[in-house]
Amino acid sequence: MAAEQTTTANSRLSRQLGGTEQTWCKAVPGGTGITVSALLFSNPPDFSVITDAVGKLQTAHPILSSQIRHDPATGLFSYVTPATPHLKIQSFDSPSTAEILRQLPNPNSSVSDFHLIVEHELNRNDWRSPNPESHVDSDVFFAGVYALPGDKLAVALRLHTSACDSATAWTLCMELRALLGEEEGIIQRELECETKIAPAMEDCIPEEKLRKPFWARGIDMFGYSMNSLRMSNLNFEDTESPRASNFVTLHMNKEDTHQILNGCKARGIKLSGLLSAAAMMSAYSSKGLLDYQQEKYAVVTLINCRSILDPVLSSNRAGFYHSGILNTHDIRGGEELWELAGRAYTAFADAKNNNKHFTDLADLNFLMSKAIENPGLTPSSSLRTSLISIFEETPVDDHGPCGYGVEDYVVCSSAHGVGPNIAIFNTIRGGELDCICLYPSPLYSRKRMLELIDGMKRILVEAK
């Protein structure tokens, strides 16, 4: 039962957050769960055009207008909707953007200005260290516009992950691009669908899929806890300095991508299984271990649950509706990519068929909360909970550039608080595999992660 809460005269309570959303409210202040959708325009629209388009997105998705309220008495969070929602969008002219870029660490000069701006947004934490006694409501949605050299413009949407999973972030990115292009009339009609904040995921899970005997829950909790002590990570480089989220990219051309996808189809596995296997093999080989020295790696595969909820939610319904399945794999070196990929995907598929993404949801949320509260329970207080996180489904973008020339875009979330060694945001753009590989810095350096991703790419190309 939802706890009673009072609302101010200028806001109304929409609903109390569900269990997963509550966990994200604990994670975001520490740096995990800041979601960014950013686009780079080579033929920039006027600021007023951008403001209008972003405003349409906020109007179309009511959760973007909401605020998060913390109740000190219960420790719980709720969404409240202001009577007059407002849009927080900041504009940075060329000198202001140049000053931001100047202050960002960039030991690798090949990193683009747009890349650095996205990292800057990932680490802008408006939800950092909230005062537990504070009654100030926090917005879930911010936007920034940056003037970049060469008359280019970056538009970044930054959201609290409790209100925006990866699917929502992808939807917002595509909708903003469409609103600023020739599809505006079409997308505007599609946007007129949401009238209120959708219910929490836990309230939409079919009851029969949530049932789990008490003894089974205890055994699984014990198993997760014990396994966490045996899991291997990438070797840490700096465990003391303040952390931030950075990313590198994994890109493959059309020919290589086509052959990889055909290989997955022929073997009945999804791309997520293949990428997980390549990441584990690259991580193992990077350590210079003795032959057949065993490592245990954890992989979290994230599932978009909208289509399997009751009621079913549309694919573009804004909110957080992902659940994860954690599998562990013993790696000894000498594995063959396709064999390991098949093993990894089968383990995931079997767990999904047994509804582990629903029955274990509360357990994984509890363990995540405990790691946040007690970093010392993780190796070197690193807050690393798995080697990899990856999405089961890979979004496909076959659209051409919009009227204002979208030169690039990035969709990802921060993970320098609690999270994996590598968070892989896998997409296919124009027939080419394009992944954002996010990592906590300086726990790992950009040089170290580039080496790891180069190893992944080499493994994928050689085995296609």
Side-chain angles (χ1 to χ4, degrees):
M1 180 179 296
E4 286 188 11
Q5 295 197 23
T6 58
T7 58
T8 60
N10 65 346
S11 68
R12 56 186 174 84
L13 180 66
S14 295
R15 66 168 173 82
Q16 185 172 289
L17 274 64
T20 302
E21 295 165 333
Q22 298 279 356
T23 302
W24 281 116
C25 285
K26 298 175 184 177
V28 171
T32 292
I34 301 167
T35 299
V36 173
S37 295
L39 299 99
L40 176 64
F41 294 92
S42 57
N43 182 24
D46 292 336
F47 182 73
S48 60
V49 175
I50 295 171
T51 302
D52 181 60
V54 174
K56 288 177 180 176
L57 288 181
Q58 188 181 43
T59 301
H61 302 288
I63 200 168
L64 303 187
S65 297
S66 69
Q67 297 176 323
I68 295 174
R69 173 169 298 169
H70 179 244
D71 183 348
T74 64
L76 298 176
F77 298 86
S78 296
Y79 289 130
V80 296
T81 302
T84 54
H86 61 286
L87 175 63
K88 286 195 173 181
I89 181 166
Q90 289 182 283
S91 178
F92 300 92
D93 59 16
S94 295
S96 299
T97 302
E99 179 60 21
I100 291 171
L101 291 170
R102 187 186 67 79
Q103 295 180 15
L104 297 177
N106 183 19
N108 187 340
S109 59
S110 65
V111 176
S112 71
D113 290 340
F114 177 60
H115 183 140
L116 292 172
I117 286 297
V118 175
E119 291 184 344
H120 170 66
E121 283 286 321
L122 283 167
N123 296 294
R124 294 186 69 190
N125 196 342
D126 290 272
W127 307 280
R128 188 189 307 275
S129 302
N131 180 353
E133 302 302 320
S134 172
H135 293 271
V136 177
D137 301 332
S138 304
D139 291 314
V140 303
F141 180 41
F142 299 87
V145 179
Y146 298 84
L148 295 173
D151 294 325
K152 297 179 182 180
L153 200 71
V155 178
L157 311 180
R158 178 165 41 93
L159 302 104
H160 193 287
T161 294
S162 71
C164 177
D165 59 18
S166 178
T168 296
W170 174 265
T171 293
L172 294 176
C173 187
M174 297 299 103
E175 288 179 345
L176 181 59
R177 184 174 69 172
L179 284 169
L180 295 172
E182 297 176 355
E183 304 170 70
E184 180 175 0
I186 298 173
I187 196 67
Q188 184 60 41
R189 289 194 297 273
E190 293 178 352
L191 285 173
E192 297 170 358
C193 58
E194 296 182 34
T195 57
K196 61 180 181 179
I197 296 174
M201 177 167 61
E202 287 84 352
D203 295 332
C204 300
I205 299 174
E207 186 177 348
E208 66 275 11
K209 294 185 178 182
L210 272 175
R211 295 193 189 108
K212 187 176 185 179
F214 178 79
W215 62 269
R217 187 173 301 280
I219 290 173
D220 284 346
M221 286 288 286
F222 179 76
Y224 283 133
S225 299
M226 291 302 296
N227 270 331
S228 68
L229 300 176
R230 300 160 55 203
M231 292 174 190
S232 300
N233 293 282
L234 295 173
N235 296 329
F236 304 134
E237 298 180 56
D238 180 351
T239 60
E240 301 297 330
S241 300
R243 291 176 198 153
S245 287
N246 291 342
F247 68 90
V248 294
T249 58
L250 168 62
H251 183 85
M252 301 188 74
N253 62 34
K254 285 186 179 180
E255 180 183 354
D256 289 339
T257 301
H258 181 70
Q259 293 187 32
I260 285 170
L261 293 178
N262 282 345
C264 290
K265 183 177 180 180
R267 294 167 175 84
I269 68 175
K270 292 186 177 179
L271 179 61
S272 54
L274 182 66
L275 293 174
S276 297
M280 287 188 284
M281 290 174 64
S282 182
Y284 184 93
S285 66
S286 72
K287 289 188 169 186
L289 301 171
L290 299 175
D291 288 346
Y292 303 108
Q293 184 176 341
Q294 181 173 295
E295 295 262 276
K296 183 180 288 291
Y297 292 138
V299 177
V300 174
T301 306
L302 296 161
I303 304 165
N304 183 351
C305 296
R306 287 170 174 79
S307 64
I308 51 178
L309 296 176
D310 184 17
V312 171
L313 299 179
S314 64
S315 60
N316 63 346
R317 192 64 190 246
F320 192 92
Y321 297 100
H322 275 70
S323 184
I325 287 177
L326 186 150
N327 296 114
T328 59
H329 304 281
D330 294 330
I331 307 297
R332 296 180 175 85
E335 283 85 3
E336 191 273 327
L337 177 64
W338 288 107
E339 183 278 329
L340 179 57
R343 176 154 52 99
Y345 182 72
T346 298
F348 161 74
D350 287 348
K352 184 180 178 183
N353 289 336
N354 289 321
N355 295 316
K356 296 283 278 186
H357 51 304
F358 288 146
T359 60
D360 290 15
L361 183 60
D363 300 342
L364 293 176
N365 282 337
F366 175 78
L367 291 172
M368 183 174 171
S369 295
K370 286 302 176 185
I372 294 168
E373 295 165 5
N374 304 279
L377 296 176
T378 61
S380 303
S381 297
S382 64
L383 287 170
R384 294 311 101 194
T385 54
S386 66
L387 176 71
I388 312 155
S389 69
I390 193 166
F391 294 88
E392 176 194 16
E393 301 295 343
T394 303
V396 177
D397 174 21
D398 289 325
H399 292 79
C402 78
Y404 292 103
V406 175
E407 188 173 305
D408 195 7
Y409 60 84
V410 171
V411 177
C412 60
S413 298
S414 65
H416 57 273
V418 65
N421 294 214
I422 321 160
I424 301 177
F425 295 81
N426 38 306
T427 62
I428 295 176
R429 305 187 195 179
E432 299 181 345
L433 177 64
D434 194 278
C435 299
I436 299 299
C437 303
L438 190 134
Y439 64 94
S441 171
L443 202 59
Y444 308 112
S445 65
R446 199 183 301 273
K447 178 177 181 292
R448 174 74 179 86
M449 296 310 298
L450 285 170
E451 291 171 352
L452 183 82
I453 298 308
D454 286 344
M456 281 183 65
K457 185 172 181 178
R458 183 169 57 254
I459 290 167
L460 289 167
V461 170
E462 290 175 355
K464 65 187 179 182

